[in-house]
Amino acid sequence: MEYNPYRALIKEFRRIAEEITGSGDLQVIRARAGFGYLSIPLHDLIRGRPELAREVNDKTSLVKSPYLANLRFINGFLNTDVNLVNYGKLVLDSALALGPSYGKSPDVKPLNIVVEHTSANPLHPLHIGHCRNMVLGDSLVRLLRFMGHRVSARFYLDDTGIQVMYLALGYRHVKDLVRRRIELGLKPDQVMWIVYSVTNAVAEVQRLTRMLEGKGEEEYRELVRERDEWVSVIADWLSKDKELVDSLVKALSSIDVNSEVARMAKAYEDGELGVKELVREAVNLVLRGFEETLNQFDVKFDQYDWESEVAVYNGLAKRVIMDLVKAAPSYVEFKDGVYVFRADKAAAELKLWDELRLPKFVPPATLNRSDGTTLYLTRDVAYAIWCLTNCNPDMVVRVIAVEQTHPQAQLRIMLKLLGFDASRIVHYAYEMVNLGDVKMSSRRGQAVTVDSLLEDAVRRVRAIASGRGGLNIDEVARAVAVGAIRYYFASVSPSKQIVFDWGRVLDMNQNSGPFIQYTYVRAYSILNKANVDVEPGQYTVPTSLSQEEGNLLLMIGEFPETLLKVSEDLKLENLVSFINRLALEFNTFYEKYPVINAEPGVREFRLALVKGVRVVLENSMRILGIPVLSRM
């Protein structure tokens, strides 16, 4: 049994090549199509030792190996096929013996890793952009834990700043109406979204109305047009909940909303008890709604880190500024009560681009407001310091949108200047989700929420599955919908934008969550009908194998190495691509060859092969958070 059969094969090939050439440290690569399975380029050695080509050619026919076959020297490459009888038995014995642990690498050094993901502002329901963040972050947590790392999954809860105060101020005036709706079964984050958006809209209407005074005709018209847009936001919410919106607008009409939220923001940072209790109450309601959504996708966090606690009330955010002034005074400017960090100057003079993986351009960063309150970036730096100090991480993976590339670069530069190991901070950036003509603005009440996305997927799956007897359609449809969404967001490189396409999300023929689930069900059904739990040693690999059988054996053997590389590179899309190829190969095999009705000897082998595929699919699905079903 081998935890990594592919690596054992590489080791064997390298050993033989070193014996033949008399040289060590040889690179093993995959051979070009038609030239074998593995290859070692020997061009550099031959240039220094021309006689080596003849020696290698003469020695290849003398090689004896249990796992290699048809060793040959072609155009400077030492190529080999695989003895699938012996290697196939090693692969299947390993997969069958290890089962749920197949793919783990016991020689991986366990690290303390923090994965911070989702971290949505507690103002409104999670939307489709958060969904990509959530899926990527949770899949990374699952992957790294599977590989043996000690992982802490954390949600950074931004409960300070102006936007949260809009929520809290609105909530203060309509508490009873909000509670009544939640008691009737409405999701808390959906109700609080109305409160936040309407309060924001009223503030914008008030601001724009004040700006009208003394403006010329053209500018006046433009301001009125912008104000009318915010009035229409209120009107849209009125059509959804007239009582709540009417009450809120009436209560806010006698208040200078912008001045009040600014006052509350400072009071909250100062720890004023009444404001603190109000904000916590409002934010916790939104958080309850978040957790309902997260539970649908089986996403769990070890800790919610409240920004106020880890960065503000302990004074850390303000100390960051003062410590930065002391540590790097030539890179901090002060004017009219505002500190500005010259990240551009620091990056250039200290040549930090490669060390800190910086973008080509990094702008200066403002660190505080003139009233003394801190800004998001400064609090974010404080959180990073808190995390590095208190969580003892070897690595902190922050799943944050690509739009935050510059702030995250500024953060790493500041950490470096403050004496912290900024290389431990990894910005796992992801691109936006493109919805075509759909415009998103949570402030304006325009967003495709994760809840609505999931319900739409459930409806579409139900339509596909209608008429299938013997199933709990509701339960299966929801599991398939979750799998479809999770697979889709993990399948595309985070560096690429996603153009959301239901045709791809629910494609039953290839490269989708439902396709993987259905392939797993096929494998499960075969083994269930056979009513035999084939174990290592209970089968013999035939000397004559079909191409599909050989391909499946090789892919099952590659799984641990693939998983190891994915965990090192944090490229989930490569795992998704692998299981899609495995599923395609298995379905071709399924259509062409009998398993249960195969002749004795072949039957046992094919059952072992099917079980090996099932093991790889199930372990991959659990890493990607795709629900595992036994029937579809």
Side-chain angles (χ1 to χ4, degrees):
M1 182 190 76
E2 286 281 350
Y3 280 93
N4 190 332
Y6 180 80
R7 186 157 287 193
L9 187 66
I10 296 286
K11 183 178 179 182
E12 170 75 356
F13 186 30
R14 186 179 282 119
R15 179 189 66 77
I16 288 172
E18 289 174 356
E19 287 180 0
I20 291 175
T21 64
S23 299
D25 198 27
L26 298 173
Q27 180 190 15
V28 180
I29 61 175
R30 291 296 294 272
R32 285 189 301 153
F35 287 84
Y37 182 60
L38 298 174
S39 182
I40 295 178
L42 299 176
H43 305 84
D44 291 343
L45 283 177
I46 291 170
R47 271 193 288 272
R49 296 163 52 196
E51 73 282 0
L52 183 62
R54 179 181 54 78
E55 293 175 9
V56 170
N57 200 48
D58 290 343
K59 291 178 180 178
T60 53
S61 60
L62 303 176
V63 169
K64 303 294 182 184
S65 168
Y67 299 137
L68 306 183
N70 194 22
L71 202 69
R72 65 264 194 205
F73 182 64
I74 304 173
N75 298 329
F77 290 91
L78 182 62
N79 298 328
T80 189
D81 292 321
V82 177
N83 181 329
L84 286 172
V85 173
N86 294 334
Y87 180 64
K89 189 172 191 315
L90 175 69
V91 166
L92 291 181
D93 278 355
S94 300
L96 271 54
L98 292 169
S101 297
Y102 185 61
K104 292 184 180 182
S105 298
D107 55 343
V108 168
K109 178 187 175 183
L111 300 176
N112 293 326
I113 301 176
V114 169
V115 179
E116 182 232 315
H117 69 90
T118 308
S119 299
N121 290 337
L123 307 168
H124 44 68
L126 301 173
H127 59 60
I128 194 169
H130 298 131
C131 193
R132 189 176 194 187
N133 187 318
M134 173 189 75
V135 168
L136 292 172
D138 184 60
S139 298
L140 289 174
V141 170
R142 291 165 177 264
L143 167 67
L144 294 169
R145 282 179 176 158
F146 183 87
M147 298 305 292
H149 298 296
R150 296 177 290 270
V151 183
S152 176
R154 308 185 86 91
F155 188 118
Y156 181 40
L157 199 62
D158 181 6
D159 61 314
T160 58
I162 294 294
Q163 294 303 314
V164 174
M165 299 309 135
Y166 284 115
L167 177 81
L169 175 61
Y171 175 64
R172 183 171 72 193
H173 292 286
V174 290
K175 278 188 180 184
D176 290 341
L177 293 177
V178 167
R179 289 169 178 164
R180 193 182 310 156
R181 279 150 180 76
I182 294 171
E183 288 168 1
L184 291 172
L186 294 179
K187 276 189 88 233
D189 52 343
Q190 293 282 353
V191 181
M192 295 297 276
W193 186 17
I194 301 174
V195 174
Y196 165 70
S197 180
V198 171
T199 305
N200 234 303
V202 170
E204 288 299 305
V205 169
Q206 290 179 351
R207 180 182 67 83
L208 292 163
T209 299
R210 285 193 296 269
M211 290 177 66
L212 291 174
E213 187 176 344
K215 293 295 187 291
E217 184 178 348
E218 185 176 341
E219 192 174 357
Y220 187 93
R221 281 201 307 269
E222 179 60 27
L223 289 171
V224 169
R225 183 198 61 77
E226 188 178 349
R227 186 180 65 177
D228 287 345
E229 289 180 0
W230 286 103
V231 170
S232 71
V233 169
I234 298 172
D236 286 343
W237 285 120
L238 271 168
S239 67
K240 297 179 175 70
D241 193 328
K242 189 174 187 305
E243 182 189 25
L244 179 61
V245 176
D246 269 341
S247 298
L248 188 53
V249 171
K250 182 178 179 181
L252 294 173
S253 61
S254 59
I255 301 171
D256 183 340
V257 174
N258 289 293
S259 295
E260 178 61 9
V261 296
R263 184 199 70 78
M264 289 174 65
K266 188 170 190 315
Y268 190 62
E269 286 204 24
D270 291 341
E272 186 178 303
L273 186 59
V275 175
K276 184 176 179 180
E277 289 177 347
L278 176 68
V279 171
R280 291 299 176 95
E281 189 176 324
V283 168
N284 272 314
L285 284 175
V286 178
L287 190 55
R288 269 177 53 190
F290 282 2
E291 290 181 329
E292 287 181 31
T293 302
L294 294 168
N295 286 338
Q296 292 282 343
F297 289 84
D298 195 24
V299 175
K300 295 178 176 61
F301 289 93
D302 297 301
Q303 191 69 42
Y304 288 91
D305 294 325
W306 289 68
E307 185 177 63
S308 56
E309 298 291 343
V310 301
V312 178
Y313 295 149
N314 56 12
L316 187 53
K318 290 184 177 179
R319 284 204 305 275
V320 163
I321 299 175
M322 294 301 99
D323 289 348
L324 196 61
V325 170
K326 292 177 184 177
S330 59
Y331 300 124
V332 183
E333 299 173 354
F334 180 74
K335 184 178 180 181
D336 298 329
V338 173
Y339 289 92
V340 176
F341 173 56
R342 290 296 305 277
D344 53 338
K345 185 180 176 185
E349 292 183 357
L350 301 176
K351 297 180 174 55
L352 299 174
W353 282 283
D354 291 338
E355 179 186 348
L356 300 183
R357 305 177 302 280
L358 302 177
K360 292 181 180 178
F361 169 71
V362 182
T366 302
L367 302 180
N368 68 307
R369 296 186 183 88
S370 58
D371 66 359
T373 55
T374 55
L375 293 174
Y376 179 82
L377 174 61
T378 317
R379 299 192 297 268
D380 206 20
V381 174
Y383 176 52
I385 291 171
W386 181 89
C387 194
L388 289 171
T389 304
N390 291 278
C391 302
N392 191 32
D394 297 294
M395 180 168 60
V396 178
V397 181
R398 310 194 73 197
V399 185
I400 302 175
V402 72
E403 289 89 348
Q404 292 295 311
T405 294
H406 287 148
Q408 289 303 304
Q410 294 162 341
L411 175 146
R412 293 196 297 279
I413 296 170
M414 280 190 267
L415 288 175
K416 169 76 175 178
L417 295 181
L418 289 168
F420 292 91
D421 181 4
S423 66
R424 285 188 284 168
I425 305 289
V426 176
H427 178 200
Y428 191 87
Y430 65 95
E431 276 283 1
M432 66 179 290
V433 180
N434 190 323
L435 296 170
D437 295 333
V438 178
K439 303 299 181 185
M440 294 250 296
S441 171
S442 298
R443 289 176 67 207
R444 296 173 184 266
Q446 300 167 337
V448 176
T449 67
V450 178
D451 298 321
S452 64
L453 181 73
L454 179 57
E455 291 312 311
D456 195 1
V458 170
R459 283 193 297 271
R460 291 170 184 268
V461 173
R462 276 203 195 102
I464 295 171
S466 63
R468 294 180 184 238
L471 289 177
N472 183 333
I473 292 296
D474 290 340
E475 184 179 316
V476 171
R478 190 158 294 275
V480 172
V482 167
I485 292 170
R486 291 196 63 131
Y487 182 99
Y488 187 67
F489 282 126
S491 68
V492 181
S493 168
S495 63
K496 296 179 181 178
Q497 282 194 17
I498 283 182
V499 180
F500 198 82
D501 177 3
W502 280 116
R504 274 201 56 202
V505 174
L506 297 174
D507 189 341
M508 292 298 298
N509 297 311
Q510 63 174 338
N511 202 21
S512 75
F515 173 64
I516 299 301
Q517 287 172 313
Y518 191 67
T519 302
Y520 176 86
V521 167
R522 274 186 161 176
Y524 180 92
S525 177
I526 290 170
L527 296 168
N528 192 47
K529 288 178 181 176
N531 198 26
V532 174
D533 188 15
V534 60
E535 299 288 346
Q538 294 181 351
Y539 63 92
T540 301
V541 180
T543 54
S544 178
L545 293 170
S546 69
Q547 182 176 338
E548 291 80 8
E549 289 169 324
N551 289 343
L552 288 173
L553 285 172
L554 292 175
M555 290 190 75
I556 295 169
E558 291 165 11
F559 177 62
E561 186 69 15
T562 298
L563 210 51
L564 179 62
K565 192 80 168 65
V566 168
S567 70
E568 292 172 345
D569 298 340
L570 301 183
K571 291 188 175 181
L572 294 164
E573 66 273 21
N574 290 343
L575 173 59
V576 174
S577 175
F578 176 85
I579 62 171
N580 178 58
R581 288 186 286 109
L582 178 67
L584 288 167
E585 194 69 51
F586 177 76
N587 282 295
T588 300
F589 161 78
Y590 175 87
E591 298 292 344
K592 292 175 70 172
Y593 304 102
V595 177
I596 296 174
N597 295 323
E599 61 269 26
V602 174
R603 179 181 190 270
E604 288 73 25
F605 161 70
R606 287 181 179 166
L607 286 171
L609 185 62
V610 171
K611 188 174 180 181
V613 170
R614 193 190 76 179
V615 165
V616 171
L617 288 178
E618 183 166 348
N619 292 354
S620 300
M621 290 164 73
R622 296 200 186 283
I623 288 170
L624 295 169
I626 298 171
V628 177
L629 298 170
S630 59
R631 297 186 65 192
M632 273 179 75

